Amino acid sequence: MIVYLLCFILFLTGLYGVITRRNLIKIAISMSIMEFSSFLFLALIGYVDGGVVPIVDPADPVKTYVDPLPQALVLTAIVIGLATTAMLMAVIIRIYRKYGTFDIRQIKNLKG
Amino acid sequence: MKGMTIIVKKTTQLIAGIIFLYGIYIILHGHLTPGGGFAGGVILAGSFILLILANGSDFLNLVREESGSTLYENLSILVFLLLALTGLLAGANAFFANWLPHGIPGELVSAGFLPLYNIFVGIEVAASILTIFLALIIFKEEVLR
Amino acid sequence: MNSLIPFFVAVPLAGAFLTMILGRFTTRISKYLASVVLIITAFISFWSLFTTGETVSVYKVGGWEAVNSVPIGIYLVLDGFSALLLCVISCIGLMSVIYSISYMARYTSGNYFYALFCLMIAGMNGVVLSGDIFNIFVFLEISTISSYALVAFGVEKNELEATLKYQVLGGIASFLILFAIGFIYWKAKTLNIADIRSAFSEGHDARYYLLVQILLLSGFGLKAAMIPFHAWLPDAHSSAPSPISAMLSGVLIKAIGIYVIIRLFFNMFEISEGMAIVITTLGTLSMVVGVFLAIGQWDIKRLLAYHSISQMGYVVMSVGIGMLLIARGLRSEVAALAISGGIFHLLNHAAFKGLLFLNAGAIEYSIGTRDLREMGGLAKSMPVTSGTSFAASLAISGIPPFNGFFSKLIIIVAAVMGHFYFLAATAAIVSIITLASFMKFQRYAFYNKEQGELKADVKEVPVPMLVSMIILAVICLLLSVLAIPGVRETILTPATDILMDQMKYSSQITGM
């Protein structure tokens, strides 16, 4: 039970970083921390008591395996997270060229 | 962009080939051991990025390199979709159907279509991560000219 | 199995990558290739709309059949509601591509634009067709990452700031959805929507259920830009290039926001009264706050973006009324009327909001500014643009014989018949304020004669842009035909039935 609570605390840490930090790169890193907490949560869900790694050994095929479906979900989600982070980094680099600063308080051209 | 010192250059000359082979090993054994297309592709891209970072490159070489990697990425996705489409035509009547003979579990040549999908996904992931890296480097170089 | 279904996703995906390869040899071929891809998609979606009717077609990817009637593969499901949305996506997409043949000539790197556009269409088709909750997440991410890149297309200062806000808020929404998928898998041990329904109906913890519902409503509400999650929408929709604004506001917030909320809350969770009250309240708040924030705007596209929030509030409110009536077990024909009114308003809004954004783009193309105080007297120099814009303004304010009148009439009548007098009065007042706001838009942009003499050399926009605007204006008139009972039976009623009947969706899928 306490393991799931730690996942949630990691998510709240990432959320705190996104909300309060001023530097754009720190906001991007905090979003990565939020992603990793949800991957950890998904991977922990599939645990079966007394299970082993879900790779079938042809000599001894009948055992209790850990649930492999959440591991496949995490693999897909990691690739999606990579794409999101790469997109965010590209936009941050272009913002630095145009605005000249990484500080998010200076970037308020659009209002209203 | 400038390269690094001569110690780094010589070390990466020795190691980059081994990393490349390791990436290919993980892609090919995707149906037997953990890994598969995504993880193997990232390792494969890592070896190329290591070589570029250590040796440095000037701007025109980087632009030519990026057009090459974009071409590989798009071609391998189209081949992947074409392979998935053959499931519809060859009698199994479904996309992504696994209609090659399955073989004995545990051997390298088994599990029908899976090694082929793994190879093309591996090439595609390697090409796209190389493209992302090159695009960011080219943008930095473009401003400095 | 209906083998037409995977082509909705495979054709735009192949088109996107083919555009990237062929665009390297000839630069002009990418726009025509994208148009051909979208014409094919529009053709097969209209064909499925007229042949689906009441049946639910299921496509099992990879041919994995169900084992002991437990679905183990990825299912793609096509029923009446999905077919309607597929038609909307491909129709508005086709109009935007035709429009952008001449609009995007001012931007460089055109073949990236068409490739990302086809990827966005493929992602939205995948969300609408999937019968599996993780598949919805994957295709959702494909379409939103493409839209982040498309919003920032001409890299100016405003567009980059808009896409940064959009990305951070959209990223938080995606992680909330992933968390909710984790919670669902933990208890139900399955990812198929129909199977989750039967797993949860066998007894569940009420507070766990409520947590999952709140997480999903927050995540998808952020994607659909309901109040209080609307902060990204005015910036993103006003700074994007105009065909992308039309796609984003006309299709994206519907296909990945409102569609998924309706599908999950009607077909996956059991309808509960608390959630229905929350949804109705959020809808009413969106309606009211959106229109009050829209009146004071002087930038055309920000005005239209705030009106999008308000009209989406109409849809959510009427669906909420239907949910509330079903939960209380009261008159189900009024609930059917409310739900079909909401879906009809969804279709109408795609048509007239798309047309309004394309008009705003045409004004910007000719004059170069988006501020209402700097333009005037355009009705003489741009006759087609002002005519279609007048038609769209009448449609959004709810004047007969345009389509907005019929859908708002159905929503208000359903609210009155269900004894929700306060909601009906609010809807009518908001409609009047919308009319006032659009009269202001029309007057300042087109009919203000005193400033008109300064802009003497304004010409009409090129032919592809005119063609798409005229076709959309004709569609606005034609859609009001859907209110006639004969036509409504074939098109709107299958969509309403699959949502209202509690067990139809899940029994038809797990039985196959």
Side-chain angles (χ1 to χ4, degrees), chain B residues 54-75:
Chain B
N55 292 328
S57 207
D58 61 338
F59 184 66
L60 292 172
N61 278 346
L62 288 176
V63 170
R64 209 180 42 181
E65 185 95 19
E66 194 209 355
S67 66
S69 67
T70 319
L71 185 68
Y72 268 109
E73 173 186 354
N74 297 327
L75 266 178

Side-chain angles (χ1 to χ4, degrees), chain C residues 268-329:
Chain C
M268 190 168 89
F269 295 120
E270 288 160 12
I271 299 183
S272 72
E273 187 164 342
M275 264 318 181
I277 294 184
V278 169
I279 289 181
T280 315
T281 318
L282 283 181
T284 320
L285 273 178
S286 306
M287 240 171 38
V288 174
V289 174
V291 84
F292 277 119
L293 283 174
I295 297 185
Q297 297 292 327
W298 289 104
D299 184 351
I300 326 176
K301 288 168 86 167
R302 276 183 95 91
L303 182 111
L304 294 174
Y306 275 114
H307 276 295
S308 278
I309 303 179
S310 158
Q311 301 294 313
M312 282 299 107
Y314 265 98
V315 176
V316 173
M317 181 189 83
S318 97
V319 165
I321 289 178
M323 238 172 110
L324 200 55
L325 285 175
I326 297 180
R328 288 181 187 167

Side-chain angles (χ1 to χ4, degrees), chain C residues 61-79:
Chain C
V61 175
W64 292 97
E65 299 286 334
V67 171
N68 295 338
S69 78
V70 170
I72 56 173
I74 297 179
Y75 281 21
L76 298 175
V77 175
L78 179 70
D79 59 356

Side-chain angles (χ1 to χ4, degrees), chain A residues 1 4 7-8 11 15 18 24 27 31 34-35 37-39 41-42 45-46 67 69-70 72-73 76-77 80 83-84 87-88 91-92 94-95 98-99 104 107-112, chain C residues 134 137-138 141 145 148-149 152 155-165 167-168 170-172 175-176 178-179 181-183 185-186 189-191 234-235 238-239 297 302 306 370:
Chain A
M1 197 58 216
Y4 304 112
C7 272
F8 192 58
F11 182 80
L15 196 60
V18 172
L24 278 175
I27 292 182
M31 276 188 67
M34 267 192 343
E35 287 171 46
S37 76
S38 55
F39 300 156
F41 180 67
L42 272 177
I45 281 179
D67 195 357
L69 184 65
L73 300 183
T76 311
I80 294 178
T84 306
M87 190 70 220
L88 197 58
V91 169
I92 287 178
R94 291 239 178 216
I95 283 187
K98 291 282 179 179
Y99 281 86
I104 200 173
I107 305 176
K108 40 182 174 53
N109 227 4
L110 295 169
K111 290 229 202 124
Chain C
F134 190 71
F137 175 70
V138 171
E141 288 299 298
I145 292 180
Y148 299 154
V155 276
E156 302 295 323
K157 277 182 158 190
N158 285 343
E159 307 188 10
L160 290 172
E161 180 189 344
T163 191
L164 183 75
K165 276 193 213 174
Q167 273 186 262
V168 172
I172 295 181
F175 306 140
L176 285 176
L178 196 58
F179 248 105
I181 292 178
F183 277 118
Y185 184 74
W186 198 6
K189 287 300 176 199
T190 175
L191 287 173
D235 295 332
S238 60
S239 313
Q297 297 292 327
R302 276 183 95 91
Y306 275 114
R370 277 189 343 226

Side-chain angles (χ1 to χ4, degrees), chain B residues 2-141:
Chain B
K2 286 193 323 209
M4 300 193 179
T5 62
I6 191 165
I7 297 184
V8 179
K9 281 187 192 172
K10 287 298 171 187
T11 314
T12 52
Q13 270 181 359
L14 293 174
I15 297 235
I18 299 181
I19 299 180
F20 189 81
L21 278 179
Y22 183 60
I24 293 184
Y25 161 76
I26 289 204
I27 293 178
L28 280 181
H29 285 251
H31 53 289
L32 300 171
T33 59
F38 292 141
V42 174
I43 295 175
L44 209 55
S47 76
F48 288 122
I49 293 180
L50 189 63
L51 280 176
I52 292 182
L53 276 178
N55 292 328
S57 207
D58 61 338
F59 184 66
L60 292 172
N61 278 346
L62 288 176
V63 170
R64 209 180 42 181
E65 185 95 19
E66 194 209 355
S67 66
S69 67
T70 319
L71 185 68
Y72 268 109
E73 173 186 354
N74 297 327
L75 266 178
S76 59
I77 284 201
L78 282 177
V79 174
F80 181 82
L81 270 178
L82 215 63
L83 281 181
L85 193 61
T86 61
L88 202 59
L89 303 171
N93 208 16
F95 247 55
F96 288 107
N98 198 358
W99 55 272
L100 288 182
H102 283 236
I104 310 168
E107 300 259 312
L108 188 56
V109 183
S110 62
F113 247 118
L114 283 178
L116 287 172
Y117 283 149
N118 269 335
I119 292 174
F120 285 107
V121 168
I123 299 176
E124 199 264 321
V125 171
S128 39
I129 293 187
L130 192 60
T131 307
I132 292 177
F133 172 71
L134 285 172
L136 295 177
I137 293 273
I138 284 176
F139 182 63
K140 181 183 93 120
E141 292 290 309

Side-chain angles (χ1 to χ4, degrees), chain C residues 309-488:
Chain C
I309 303 179
S310 158
Q311 301 294 313
M312 282 299 107
Y314 265 98
V315 176
V316 173
M317 181 189 83
S318 97
V319 165
I321 289 178
M323 238 172 110
L324 200 55
L325 285 175
I326 297 180
R328 288 181 187 167
L330 298 178
R331 319 166 50 182
S332 66
E333 66 274 4
V334 179
L337 195 65
I339 296 177
S340 66
I343 296 178
F344 191 22
H345 198 70
L346 197 89
L347 302 178
N348 293 340
H349 181 253
F352 51 65
K353 192 47 72 77
L355 180 55
L356 280 169
F357 268 109
L358 294 184
N359 281 328
I363 294 177
E364 188 182 359
Y365 186 85
S366 303
I367 295 191
T369 175
R370 277 189 343 226
D371 197 340
L372 272 177
R373 293 171 282 212
E374 294 175 12
M375 53 178 87
L378 289 174
K380 240 191 300 212
S381 37
M382 302 171 70
V384 177
T385 308
S386 88
T388 49
S389 165
F390 192 65
S393 304
L394 288 184
I396 195 174
S397 320
I399 310 280
F402 290 99
N403 46 4
F405 171 69
F406 292 106
S407 58
K408 288 192 186 181
L409 184 68
I410 295 181
I411 294 178
I412 294 180
V413 162
V416 165
M417 275 166 55
H419 304 296
F420 295 105
Y421 299 114
F422 176 66
L423 294 180
T426 316
I429 293 177
V430 165
S431 184
I432 296 178
I433 302 180
T434 312
L435 177 64
S437 173
F438 273 94
M439 283 303 121
K440 163 184 160 181
F441 169 56
Q442 287 293 307
R443 174 183 171 246
Y444 274 96
F446 293 112
Y447 296 108
N448 203 1
K449 284 293 183 355
E450 300 88 46
Q451 280 186 303
E453 320 312 337
L454 302 169
K455 317 264 182 198
D457 58 340
V458 171
K459 295 193 308 296
E460 185 63 87
V461 288
V463 174
M465 295 161 80
L466 287 182
V467 164
S468 53
M469 289 196 284
I470 293 177
I471 295 182
L472 270 179
V474 168
I475 289 181
C476 276
L477 266 178
L478 281 181
L479 272 179
S480 43
V481 165
L482 271 185
I484 301 177
V487 182
R488 189 172 66 202

Side-chain angles (χ1 to χ4, degrees), chain C residues 6-33:
Chain C
F7 286 107
F8 282 110
V9 176
V11 167
L13 201 62
F17 291 104
L18 207 57
T19 309
M20 286 291 296
I21 293 184
L22 290 180
R24 158 195 313 279
F25 301 123
T26 49
T27 47
R28 283 181 321 166
I29 199 173
S30 47
K31 30 191 181 184
Y32 301 117
L33 187 62

